[in-house]
Amino acid sequence: PNKTTMTMTMKMLLLLLGVGLWVYGFMGPVFVASASASASPSGSPSGSPPVQSSLLSRALSIKHVSVHYYKDLHQIPELLFDLHETSAYIQKELTLLGIPFEANIAKTGIVAYIGKDSSVKQEAIVLRADMDALPVTEETNLPFKSKNEGKGHMCGHDAHMSGLLTAARLLLEDAKAGRFPKNYYAKLMFQPAEEGGAGARVMRDKHDILHDAVAAFGVHVGPGFGKGQPYPTGNAFFRHGPMLAAAGEFDITVTGHGTHGAAPHSGVDPIVCGAAIVQSLQQIVSRRTDPLDAAVVTVGTFHSGVAHNVIPSTATLSGTFRALKHETFERLEANIESVARHAAAAHDCKMDIHFHHDTAYPPTVLDEGATAAVRGAAEKLLAGYSTVGEMTAPIMGAEDFSFIAESVPSTFVFVGTANATLENAAFINHHPRFVVDPEALPVAAALHVSAFYALSSAHQEGTLGEGSNPSSNGGKERKDEL
């Protein structure tokens, strides 16, 4: 009996030991992450940044918070600078976290401060999220779809705000734990009017928010652009140099002489003239631009006439033009005006053209040092979880983060949302059925935090550039004083 009892006791001890090892193996990383999140600095005068793997664990542990932000903001899309409900929501959340901020910048923009200490000379790392939606009616079946008719977050700016708000929580924890680099603080830029309003330029030029900034970082979510490179959920894609195009818009009014449709010889037809202008504009790229120099000229609208048997007096056209280089962009504008004027003269019509200089965007050109630093940190952050890759080519879409990148060394990342198991996952940004995979939200948040530490270190080490066009003031000034 004693031998049997001893045998049973040994089996029980071995069983308990096995269970203990299993629990430690399963829960150990959680305990380590928790300890890392609350640890004090190890005596370093500049603080000790969090371990990248534990940073991702922290972001994933509050994914429900990121999703909550995303769903709330998705339901209240607003346009351009008129983001009163959106701005109020962000201000409320920042107040609940105890994060100081300034509001009503560029009408509804917000700048928040984490780790700022007025007793110490500090420089800012800017983390930016755009806030505005699109004038697009949402066609998803989401239970939290847009409540605002004719407006929808179909470009992912709701996810951008969610990512930065979540990052604010993580950064605040680090600041309170003494992990911030001593001479740097995080400046959170919640920006209105990315979708055509050049809100970043207004915040930069009218409100001087980059006055103490030494670097900047931004995130964009999406499944990929068109039929090109797909972006699977949670993967991060970087590129230095030109990433996105410069973009401008034009309006053309052609004036002829209206007449009866049965007597075209007695008038001057502005429709025929307008059609000739459309045809001629296509030759700017095919015959006046180096084939190796990316450029786009697109006519998006053509309006004329109200009756089938009347030749009208006027026709109006509008379009966009894009390029990856400043000089190519300027040449496109000059060519558009010249081609349209000569085509109109050839058809005995008068032509007036207007370029929207106040909302033109420069190319988004990203600093090599900033990109290398943030990409290197991202590779450690996402190791074993998702992939960090290189964008295979620039995109001819435009971003007003370009105004920030002109002034300070900056980098930008695309976070993938493509998930074949998710309804509507195949639809790209700006489509009325575009959706964001919620699994991408913690990655966006963690990348913001990781970028803060990477950029502050890179600046301290002197490996950053100067911005793509540091002397720029954003070109022609806006007439409004937002």
Side-chain angles (χ1 to χ4, degrees):
N2 290 339
K3 186 176 181 179
T4 302
T5 302
M6 288 176 64
T7 301
M8 293 179 63
T9 301
M10 287 296 292
K11 288 182 176 179
M12 183 63 70
L13 287 172
L14 289 172
L15 178 62
L16 290 172
L17 179 61
V19 170
L21 289 172
W22 179 85
V23 169
Y24 178 80
F26 182 73
M27 296 297 289
V30 177
F31 297 143
V32 171
S34 176
S36 175
S38 59
S40 298
S42 58
S44 168
S46 61
S48 301
V51 177
Q52 295 288 358
S53 57
S54 69
L55 170 57
L56 181 60
S57 297
R58 290 164 58 203
L60 290 168
S61 72
I62 57 171
K63 186 181 82 171
H64 61 285
V65 176
S66 301
V67 173
H68 174 75
Y69 290 149
Y70 165 65
K71 289 182 176 180
D72 283 354
L73 290 162
H74 186 86
Q75 295 177 74
I76 54 171
E78 297 170 289
L79 305 182
L80 293 172
F81 293 97
D82 296 321
L83 312 177
H84 302 287
E85 193 174 359
T86 304
S87 184
Y89 181 92
I90 293 171
Q91 292 178 52
K92 178 195 71 175
E93 295 301 325
L94 291 171
T95 300
L96 289 172
L97 291 170
I99 296 174
F101 62 87
E102 294 180 62
N104 305 319
I105 297 175
K107 195 171 183 178
T108 50
I110 301 164
V111 176
Y113 308 93
I114 301 176
K116 189 172 184 180
D117 183 352
S118 58
S119 68
V120 180
K121 186 182 185 307
Q122 292 178 301
E123 293 171 301
I125 305 297
V126 173
L127 306 174
R128 174 267 202 171
D130 38 14
M131 304 160 66
D132 57 324
L134 290 163
V136 174
T137 299
E138 182 175 350
E139 295 179 5
T140 73
N141 294 316
L142 296 174
F144 52 92
K145 69 185 298 183
S146 171
K147 295 178 179 178
N148 297 337
E149 186 64 30
K151 302 172 185 177
H153 268 300
M154 315 321 296
C155 194
H157 297 189
D158 44 0
H160 302 170
M161 291 182 281
S162 167
L164 191 53
L165 278 173
T166 306
R169 286 176 168 263
L170 301 171
L171 287 165
L172 185 62
E173 290 176 4
D174 287 349
K176 288 180 176 179
R179 284 192 287 267
F180 261 36
K182 183 178 179 181
N183 298 319
Y184 300 88
Y185 75 94
K187 180 180 280 190
L188 278 54
M189 176 183 178
F190 292 93
Q191 177 219 306
E194 188 278 329
E195 296 289 356
R201 183 173 73 174
V202 178
M203 293 185 79
R204 182 192 72 176
D205 296 349
K206 302 296 185 184
H207 300 276
D208 197 25
I209 71 159
L210 300 180
H211 69 93
D212 60 350
V214 294
F217 174 71
V219 172
H220 207 303
V221 299
F225 197 78
K227 295 182 180 180
Q229 181 182 16
Y231 300 157
T233 291
N235 287 8
F237 295 88
F238 290 89
R239 182 182 180 85
H240 74 265
M243 177 186 258
L244 293 138
E249 296 175 337
F250 60 87
D251 296 309
I252 295 174
T253 301
V254 177
T255 304
H257 181 75
T259 184
H260 197 290
H265 60 287
S266 65
V268 178
D269 193 338
I271 295 178
V272 172
C273 178
I277 290 174
V278 173
Q279 288 283 81
S280 299
L281 289 177
Q282 306 314 303
Q283 297 176 30
I284 293 174
V285 173
S286 66
R287 289 296 176 268
R288 297 191 179 201
T289 305
D290 186 332
L292 301 180
D293 190 3
V296 172
V297 177
T298 294
V299 176
T301 72
F302 190 143
H303 299 291
S304 188
V306 293
H308 64 277
N309 62 345
V310 176
I311 293 175
S313 295
T314 61
T316 59
L317 300 79
S318 67
T320 183
F321 60 105
R322 298 167 184 242
L324 293 176
K325 299 176 183 176
H326 286 283
E327 56 271 24
T328 305
F329 184 71
E330 292 172 357
R331 188 166 59 250
L332 287 179
E333 179 175 319
N335 284 340
I336 289 168
E337 180 166 7
S338 174
V339 165
R341 198 167 298 285
H342 282 88
H347 289 79
D348 292 329
C349 285
K350 178 184 176 184
M351 191 280 300
D352 294 305
I353 188 167
H354 170 67
F355 291 96
H356 296 258
H357 292 132
D358 58 340
T359 54
Y361 291 0
T364 302
V365 182
L366 303 176
D367 181 70
E368 184 174 3
T371 303
V374 175
R375 176 174 176 161
E379 288 171 346
K380 295 176 183 177
L381 175 76
L382 300 176
Y385 182 81
S386 60
T387 300
V388 174
E390 181 82 5
M391 286 179 61
T392 54
I395 294 172
M396 297 307 288
E399 241 287 355
D400 74 348
F401 185 79
S402 55
F403 292 109
I404 302 167
E406 278 190 325
S407 299
V408 296
S410 303
T411 192
F412 198 74
V413 63
F414 276 88
V415 175
T417 62
N419 182 346
T421 67
L422 190 69
E423 184 181 3
N424 298 325
F427 296 100
I428 68 170
N429 304 62
H430 288 218
H431 192 281
R433 292 175 64 184
F434 168 76
V435 296
V436 171
D437 184 351
E439 298 300 322
L441 300 176
V443 174
L447 283 168
H448 271 297
V449 181
S450 178
F452 169 73
Y453 291 107
L455 290 171
S456 58
S457 294
H459 179 260
Q460 200 166 38
E461 294 164 4
T463 58
L464 300 180
E466 297 182 342
S468 64
N469 188 15
S471 63
S472 173
N473 68 348
K476 301 175 177 66
E477 291 290 326
R478 289 181 61 92
K479 295 179 181 179
D480 47 21
E481 295 289 339
L482 292 168

